[in-house]
Amino acid sequence: MIPSVRQAYNKRFTETAYHDFLQGMADEAGVAPAFRVAETPVFVPAALTTKLVQACEEIVNVVLRPDFKQLTEAAIPHHLRVPNENDHPHFMVIDFAVTHGNDGEPEPQLIELQGFPTMNAFQQVMAGNYRKHFHIPEQLNNYFNGLDDQQYYDLLREMIIGDHKPSSVILLEVKPQEQKTRIDFYATEKYLGIKPVCITELIQEDNRLFYMCDGEKTRVKRIYNRIIFDDLLRQQEQLGPHVNLFQDLEVEWITHPNWFYRISKFTMPLLHSDYIPKSWYLHQLPVIPADLENYVLKPLFSFAGQGVKIDVTQADIDAIQDPENWILQRRVTYAPIIETPNGKAICEIRMMYIWPDGAARPMLVHNLSRLSKGKMIGVGFNSSDTWVGGSCCFFEY
């Protein structure tokens, strides 16, 4: 999106450099990515950077409302509520489509948000290897708030481990070795020293949790949670015996699971900004828009794009039996804005926040991007294209 930088990058690109880039990430993390990583990062011009940060801070202001918890109580399904919720999420991510504004300039439009961690460790592995294997102008930065590599990992370590021994903290997932995001688990273990653990490996004694670490039963004092509980319930019959995480356990959560639901698609109808498409809870929709083709239907409790209806019809709305669990959102038109050697790509940008205990506001720290040449954005929708997939941004300030 910065024309001079884009043209220079495309001209210098070689398949050899791309192969070395992929191998560099695999060598650093100890495993190759299980999803497609794009041939290019995204170069974000200063005007768009300003708009993205403004949109994010407007959303943060809503999350900081004194009545935010009250407004989002219905977001947490009763059977998925976990005790001992804290005051705020420790991690938050905000996803934007890059579109064209009315003036023709690049503009962000909110797609989704989550009170949940993302690929925090791997994104820096990726960004570092882009810099190592390709020419990235020094004035462009993947970080925010003046962070560098050391400060970023120190912040992650303080956020996730705190005063605990690394062996007392685990990254919890369902079958972590089978997840497409497992490269992030390996990078987290390498840089922070905490192990990825499957829920089936937890041992419960009274209300305390343990796991086997280097042959010794070790107390779990803090969980860096990567489980999406809705997915856990769908898989639990195939998992076999495992600890019930919905009980009062003597453990700290980073981030507490309830925030995954509070800050989610459920939040979107509460948000109002030039960079946020109008959304309604379906059961509170005042009138069905005449131009339904300009809207999308999203289930509140389905993730990774599952169940989203893009070409909405009246029949789709009539068929929904639980409208309280759906939102109708003004459709966002992605701009084919990334020039590649074989056609233009569309782009989504995830802004990544960390919120330490005691901090008045969350802190914007890093980013993630995804490129596509199809209708859907996501690493699972681009298996046959090139210059698409997971990526990261380098921002001009």
Side-chain angles (χ1 to χ4, degrees):
M1 287 179 282
I2 304 175
S4 60
V5 178
R6 169 54 55 205
Q7 292 163 13
Y9 184 93
N10 289 6
K11 184 176 181 179
R12 293 180 178 181
F13 177 85
T14 67
E15 288 294 336
T16 298
Y18 178 57
H19 175 271
D20 292 344
F21 161 70
L22 295 177
Q23 189 60 51
M25 289 188 294
D27 290 344
E28 184 173 347
V31 64
F35 50 86
R36 194 175 201 288
V37 178
E39 285 83 341
T40 180
V42 177
F43 305 116
V44 181
L48 180 56
T49 301
T50 298
K51 293 173 184 177
L52 283 161
V53 173
Q54 176 187 332
C56 286
E57 291 304 303
E58 289 173 346
I59 292 167
V60 168
N61 288 340
V62 174
V63 176
L64 287 170
R65 284 178 52 166
D67 61 347
F68 183 76
K69 276 196 172 186
Q70 179 182 346
L71 292 171
T72 57
E73 273 300 290
I76 309 168
H78 179 72
H79 63 291
L80 297 178
R81 187 180 290 269
V82 175
N84 304 314
E85 180 182 329
N86 65 330
D87 292 334
H88 60 73
H90 295 99
F91 291 93
M92 186 170 72
V93 298
I94 308 175
D95 294 349
F96 295 92
V98 178
T99 70
H100 280 137
N102 293 331
D103 59 0
E105 294 300 314
E107 177 180 282
Q109 284 291 317
L110 179 66
I111 296 296
E112 198 165 341
L113 64 167
Q114 294 177 345
F116 196 71
T118 189
M119 309 269 283
N120 291 291
F122 172 65
Q123 280 308 113
Q124 186 43 40
V125 172
M126 179 194 289
N129 275 278
Y130 271 127
R131 280 208 183 273
K132 181 177 179 180
H133 297 284
F134 299 98
H135 176 71
I136 309 297
E138 286 298 322
Q139 72 270 22
L140 303 183
N141 204 329
N142 51 292
Y143 290 119
F144 294 91
N145 286 299
L147 295 176
D148 59 23
D149 291 355
Q150 184 63 51
Q151 291 168 331
Y152 177 67
Y153 281 121
D154 286 347
L155 188 58
L156 281 183
R157 188 174 295 106
E158 176 61 29
M159 187 75 273
I160 296 171
I161 300 174
D163 295 330
H164 297 287
K165 295 179 180 178
S167 60
S168 298
V169 183
I170 61 169
L171 185 158
L172 190 64
E173 190 33 303
V174 177
K175 299 180 179 178
Q177 308 304 325
E178 299 179 15
Q179 298 294 329
K180 283 190 174 183
T181 53
R182 59 185 175 269
I183 191 170
D184 182 61
F185 308 158
Y186 284 95
T188 301
E189 182 175 9
K190 175 177 179 178
Y191 286 106
L192 302 187
I194 65 172
K195 295 184 179 297
V197 174
C198 180
I199 185 173
T200 59
E201 299 176 77
L202 292 176
I203 303 163
Q204 182 176 353
E205 295 182 1
D206 297 323
N207 67 339
R208 296 182 175 186
L209 297 178
F210 301 81
Y211 75 114
M212 299 304 295
C213 178
D214 300 326
E216 295 187 6
K217 189 169 72 172
T218 302
R219 171 84 182 278
V220 177
K221 295 186 178 181
R222 179 176 281 189
I223 293 174
Y224 177 39
N225 182 49
R226 300 297 292 271
I227 294 179
I228 296 176
F229 280 39
D230 201 50
D231 287 344
L232 171 62
L233 291 189
R234 283 196 291 268
Q235 300 179 61
Q236 64 180 356
E237 290 185 6
Q238 290 76 42
L239 280 178
H242 59 274
V243 167
N244 171 20
L245 295 175
F246 302 100
Q247 57 182 308
D248 189 354
L249 297 168
E250 196 175 319
V251 68
E252 299 173 12
W253 292 95
I254 307 289
T255 280
H256 192 283
N258 291 354
W259 285 103
F260 179 81
Y261 298 100
R262 290 190 184 277
I263 299 178
S264 67
K265 290 187 288 285
F266 188 94
T267 317
M268 292 190 66
L270 307 177
L271 306 172
H272 306 282
S273 165
D274 290 340
Y275 306 124
I276 299 173
K278 185 62 180 173
S279 302
W280 297 269
Y281 303 115
L282 192 57
H283 71 298
Q284 295 179 355
L285 184 65
V287 62
I288 295 176
D291 58 339
L292 272 177
E293 68 276 8
N294 292 322
Y295 290 80
V296 294
L297 270 173
K298 293 183 175 182
L300 289 176
F301 305 114
S302 180
F303 309 98
Q306 297 177 11
V308 175
K309 298 182 184 295
I310 295 178
D311 299 311
V312 182
T313 66
Q314 180 68 52
D316 291 326
I317 292 179
D318 293 342
I320 291 176
Q321 301 298 311
D322 55 343
E324 69 279 4
N325 292 328
W326 292 75
I327 62 170
L328 185 71
Q329 176 190 310
R330 184 78 181 178
R331 186 171 183 170
V332 173
T333 301
Y334 290 76
I337 205 167
I338 309 296
E339 296 278 358
T340 83
N342 56 356
K344 293 185 177 182
I346 60 176
C347 171
E348 194 167 284
I349 296 173
R350 170 171 290 181
M351 305 287 270
M352 297 161 49
Y353 278 83
I354 287 178
W355 197 342
D357 287 326
R361 296 179 71 91
M363 178 182 181
L364 182 59
V365 293
H366 211 292
N367 78 92
L368 177 155
S369 183
R370 292 178 287 192
L371 305 182
S372 176
K373 293 178 180 175
K375 249 185 176 182
M376 297 289 285
I377 285 275
V379 294
F381 298 110
N382 296 289
S383 57
S384 61
D385 288 323
T386 58
W387 291 70
V388 297
S391 185
C392 75
C393 298
F394 291 92
F395 295 88
E396 181 181 60
Y397 297 127

